[in-house]
Amino acid sequence: MTRTPSKCPPTQTPGNIDIPALREKYREEREKRFRSEGQKQYFRPKSGVLAEQLADPYKPVLPRAAISEEIDVAVLGGGFTGILASVQLRKAGVTRFRNIEQAGDFGGVWYWNRYPGIQCDNESYCYLPLLEETGFVPSKRFSDGTEIQGHCVRIARQFGLYDGALFHTQVKSLRWDESIKRWHVSTDRGDEIRARFVIMAGGPLNRPKLPGIPGLQDFKGQVFHSARWDYGTTGGSWESPVLDKLTDKRVAVVGTGATAIQIVPYLGKYAREVYVLQRTPPSVDARPNPPTDPDWVKTLQPGWQKQRQENFHRGAMEGFHPGDSDLVCDFWTEINRNVAAKLAAQGWPAITPETFMAMREDEDFHVMERFRRRIDEIVQDKATAELLKPWFRFHCKRPLSSDSYYPTFNRPNVHLIDVSATKGVERLTEHGFVHEGKEYPIDLLICASGFEVTSDLDLRWGIDEIQGRDQQSLYDYWADGYKTLHGVVARGFPNQFFTGYIQGGLYATTVEQFNRQGHHIAHIISEALKQGISAVEPTQQAQDAWVQVMAPSTAFSQYMQSECPPSYLNNESGKFRYYLGEFYLAGFTAFEQLLQDWRGQGAFEGMELDRGITPTRKAG
Ligand code: NDP
């Protein structure tokens, strides 16, 4: 079957639900999981076998001479964020830049994550950037990891990013030098790069974290993180994950997030015994993934991808407009599709944002109930089915889709172990894990335990120190939260640019959001270079005003704090500081317009400019 994206009807959701009772159940389940240590519960080994395990297992680190040079821009990262920032620099005419990347190639998460079954869970026609410019057509609706990393390489080649790229290189410190109006960029390869501008393009999912399970270091079997898959141990390869070395092995997987649900069906198929150690059950919908219909491709008109991303954004976040048809038609857009059908039936009355949110909330309860009832239809063992049910609102955890996850629990070799009572896996011994007083021997432990998404910034970036003007530490400066103008620049940190979820617009297609940030940053850098501006930073007044603009969105943070179980989205219920905490409430379109107007005025409004550029010298 091929797929022609088209208008789809609202879904049928269960009608007979008790919303106040559900609300109470959600609250109870949240309280059950709350851990006061927040993100500190995770284990970050500094040395030893587990630390070594986080090195690159895919490509050897080749020796190279340290570099000492001056460049215009250091782009810190080679995932989609770094790639797109560099593409935007090229388009803006800036050529003296380098991507500096810890991995052995471009790709970011799509380089590191090679676990069996890896796919994007956003539709590839929206998620993969620059489809029209590269002429690439994804092979199916949800691309495999190999296809996505291949696309990263394709873009990097097309835009000439390999020439300047420094792979297997981790930036260790960034120091602003007022005397030369440049950043000293020091790396773990001994490089000393003096860059006029730096772009922080690390991406949100680049550093794995291990679960803080007591005894983890005592376990004598094999352990690896899902983002460092060891095919030598499991058999198979990234391209062909036939895990034939597991047929006599007992395997436990920690976690039931987006990663684990893709891995578990493969483990179930190949391993002798599989233990899925679940703390919080995720929501998992169906996942039809047909090949791309060539006839549909022929119908696409220039500008189709942007139009589709905008339609997806309305479907997943801001709400459909009268006359919209849902082009993506999947679980991400279901709530707004159903709300839109109700509004259309009433002739699209004018409603307040509060009414819209109330309609969404009501629909949310119904959709989540649909997910729960779906489990009863698939999983044969009633007790297991019950344990697999998610009790939270749709956006509290990343919504997932898989056709093979739930059926895997019907296999006799797959065991669901509910570790919620101990708020995580109780303990590891030399031989296995302990649950309710019993030791379960295992040969392999796979930690699908996530990434430093909302952790402290030094953990996320792996950079020991970032010193702006007057040796001010960025980590100290932002200790109580972000302070920026438009989410891209901060006072006291001249010529340093930020990307990601920092006080900006929030877009349903993450990669495109980062692309547009890259566009804005590249504009500022190219204009600064053209106009002989040696340093740009926001004025105190403009930055303070922007922080005030962000303030109302803390209501969203409160929702994540008070109604959702712990996860990286709410900083594991610790102090809510970073990531999605603050964004432009009027919506992404309005945010884009604001930046477009700002660029159009050409006046660097709200910025302090230091003119009198000194030319960049050649390497030496
Ligand atoms: P997550 O952070 O989403 O999940 C980590 C899992 O580990 C959770 O189930 C967590 O439980 C569990 N865990 C952590 N510590 C313990 C412990 N001590 N005992 C038991 N369980 C524990 O990580 P993922 O790698 O799954 O996903 C990260 C993000 O990466 C996704 O949200 C998504 O944004 C992205 N991703 C995207 C994919 C795609 O597009 N295809 C695929 C994979 C990932 P609990 O929930 O209780 O905290």
Side-chain angles (χ1 to χ4, degrees):
M1 187 189 76
T2 55
R3 175 169 190 269
T4 304
S6 62
K7 195 170 169 176
C8 49
T11 55
Q12 297 295 314
T13 55
N16 54 334
I17 59 171
D18 180 346
I19 291 180
L22 281 173
R23 219 186 277 282
E24 182 55 19
K25 171 81 173 159
Y26 288 6
R27 197 193 56 74
E28 278 169 18
E29 292 289 328
R30 176 188 184 275
E31 292 307 312
K32 198 164 112 184
R33 289 172 171 80
F34 181 82
R35 282 178 66 152
S36 56
E37 325 94 287
Q39 55 158 284
K40 291 202 169 59
Q41 70 180 275
Y42 287 91
F43 179 54
R44 286 103 183 174
K46 296 239 179 325
S47 58
V49 178
L50 290 172
E52 284 160 21
Q53 200 276 318
L54 296 175
D56 186 349
Y58 313 122
K59 286 195 175 182
V61 178
L62 301 175
R64 69 164 173 82
I67 289 171
S68 172
E69 66 174 6
E70 285 184 0
I71 57 174
D72 283 336
V73 193
V75 182
L76 275 50
F80 270 134
T81 315
I83 290 171
L84 293 167
S86 297
V87 167
Q88 295 292 352
L89 287 172
R90 275 253 186 277
K91 287 183 176 179
V94 180
T95 54
R96 290 179 57 83
F97 64 84
R98 280 188 186 283
N99 290 87
I100 305 178
E101 167 59 53
Q102 193 197 356
D105 199 346
F106 284 106
V109 285
W110 300 106
Y111 174 89
W112 291 112
N113 286 276
R114 301 181 181 203
Y115 58 78
I118 181 166
Q119 281 182 350
C120 183
D121 54 16
N122 271 197
E123 194 199 69
S124 55
Y125 315 121
C126 288
Y127 179 80
L128 291 186
L130 308 184
L131 288 181
E132 292 185 68
E133 280 175 84
T134 56
F136 178 67
V137 180
S139 61
K140 53 189 169 185
R141 187 180 190 191
F142 299 106
S143 291
D144 293 339
T146 46
E147 181 164 283
I148 302 173
Q149 203 266 336
H151 191 56
C152 293
V153 170
R154 177 178 300 108
I155 297 171
R157 286 200 182 123
Q158 182 167 330
F159 289 89
L161 307 186
Y162 274 96
D163 294 345
L166 292 179
F167 295 121
H168 284 142
T169 303
Q170 167 67 46
V171 171
K172 296 312 289 177
S173 78
L174 290 173
R175 285 179 296 111
W176 173 252
D177 186 336
E178 188 68 27
S179 68
I180 56 170
K181 304 264 192 270
R182 283 184 166 82
W183 286 90
H184 289 278
V185 181
S186 308
T187 76
D188 63 353
R189 307 294 294 265
D191 307 312
E192 274 300 324
I193 297 167
R194 295 167 298 284
R196 192 180 297 286
F197 303 94
V198 293
I199 302 179
M200 308 299 290
L205 297 163
N206 64 343
R207 304 186 80 80
K209 61 186 185 193
L210 293 169
I213 306 172
L216 182 60
Q217 286 160 296
D218 302 332
F219 178 58
K220 295 277 186 276
Q222 276 175 297
V223 186
F224 58 78
H225 190 277
S226 51
R228 302 288 185 275
W229 194 271
D230 180 358
Y231 281 104
T233 294
T234 64
S237 66
W238 189 22
E239 296 81 7
S240 175
V242 177
L243 310 181
D244 50 8
K245 290 190 184 171
L246 293 183
T247 47
D248 59 348
K249 298 283 188 301
R250 298 154 301 183
V251 184
V253 55
V254 179
T256 48
T259 299
I261 69 139
Q262 296 186 335
I263 292 171
V264 164
Y266 283 82
L267 296 178
K269 185 171 173 191
Y270 293 104
R272 186 175 114 204
E273 300 291 341
V274 180
Y275 300 96
V276 180
L277 307 179
Q278 171 187 278
R279 187 164 65 178
T280 311
S283 67
V284 187
D285 198 13
R287 188 185 181 85
N289 193 8
T292 302
D293 180 352
D295 292 334
W296 167 67
V297 175
K298 282 184 207 142
T299 67
L300 297 173
Q301 300 297 316
W304 71 267
Q305 190 180 25
K306 186 164 186 278
Q307 191 196 0
R308 193 172 183 88
Q309 287 166 336
E310 287 172 356
N311 180 277
F312 177 59
H313 179 68
R314 293 195 292 280
M317 288 187 175
E318 289 179 14
F320 285 115
H321 297 164
D324 262 343
S325 54
D326 182 351
L327 297 179
V328 171
C329 290
D330 72 3
F331 63 108
W332 289 101
T333 59
E334 179 178 1
I335 291 178
N336 279 348
R337 189 186 331 138
N338 292 358
V339 167
K342 286 182 181 153
L343 289 171
Q346 297 164 30
W348 287 99
I351 55 168
T352 62
E354 290 75 21
T355 304
F356 174 68
M357 292 313 288
M359 289 180 79
R360 267 195 63 100
E361 186 186 5
D362 183 76
E363 201 57 45
D364 189 317
F365 281 111
H366 290 270
V367 167
M368 290 300 291
E369 185 63 23
R370 181 178 74 70
F371 289 170
R372 288 187 287 269
R373 295 194 187 178
R374 191 174 162 264
I375 300 169
D376 287 326
E377 286 163 17
I378 300 171
V379 177
Q380 288 150 9
D381 179 69
K382 292 299 154 217
T384 304
E386 213 48 46
L387 286 177
L388 285 167
K389 290 181 182 171
W391 300 103
F392 47 77
R393 282 173 59 184
F394 184 78
H395 278 295
C396 284
K397 295 253 173 189
R398 188 179 176 86
L400 309 175
S401 63
S402 166
D403 284 349
S404 50
Y405 182 64
Y406 291 139
T408 301
F409 291 95
N410 292 332
R411 287 177 171 273
N413 62 328
V414 177
H415 317 282
L416 183 67
I417 307 283
D418 171 22
V419 300
S420 61
T422 41
K423 303 189 183 200
V425 180
E426 188 180 326
R427 189 159 54 89
L428 282 163
T429 64
E430 282 188 16
H431 308 293
F433 67 90
V434 174
H435 176 65
E436 294 178 343
K438 181 179 165 194
E439 184 184 60
Y440 292 73
I442 53 170
D443 304 293
L444 170 63
L445 179 74
I446 298 170
C447 300
S449 45
F451 301 87
E452 306 279 14
V453 187
T454 40
S455 314
D456 290 348
L457 291 165
D458 54 340
L459 291 173
R460 284 160 55 180
W461 289 337
I463 302 175
D464 297 336
E465 61 168 7
I466 302 179
Q467 285 186 2
R469 183 172 288 127
D470 302 325
Q471 283 84 50
Q472 165 81 64
S473 157
L474 182 68
Y475 300 137
D476 291 344
Y477 187 63
W478 279 354
D480 296 321
Y482 295 124
K483 288 177 269 200
T484 72
L485 175 62
H486 301 155
V488 292
V489 281
R491 181 149 181 87
F493 298 85
N495 293 3
Q496 184 174 24
F497 294 90
F498 304 97
T499 61
Y501 297 101
I502 298 181
Q503 296 193 328
L506 193 59
Y507 201 47
T509 301
T510 309
V511 173
E512 179 58 15
Q513 175 179 323
F514 298 167
N515 185 31
R516 306 233 188 138
Q517 287 170 341
H519 174 66
H520 186 63
I521 292 167
H523 168 86
I524 298 174
I525 291 177
S526 72
E527 282 304 310
L529 288 171
K530 276 185 223 154
Q531 297 180 33
I533 295 167
S534 55
V536 296
E537 66 180 298
T539 63
Q540 189 65 54
Q541 196 187 10
Q543 180 171 285
D544 290 347
W546 187 251
V547 171
Q548 284 310 310
V549 170
M550 292 292 109
S553 66
T554 50
F556 175 81
S557 313
Q558 280 156 10
Y559 151 67
M560 294 303 294
Q561 294 266 57
S562 61
E563 298 193 22
C564 296
S567 77
Y568 68 79
L569 287 170
N570 56 15
N571 199 14
E572 306 291 346
S573 268
K575 194 175 164 196
F576 195 98
R577 284 193 298 184
Y578 304 121
Y579 191 69
L580 295 184
E582 296 167 295
F583 55 91
Y584 197 65
L585 265 189
F588 191 79
T589 313
F591 178 69
E592 278 288 288
Q593 190 61 52
L594 182 137
L595 292 192
Q596 197 177 319
D597 293 346
W598 187 93
R599 293 191 296 268
Q601 284 160 6
F604 285 93
E605 197 186 325
M607 295 276 217
E608 218 164 84
L609 309 176
D610 192 334
R611 292 184 187 269
I613 210 157
T614 49
T616 296
R617 288 192 299 274
K618 291 241 173 335

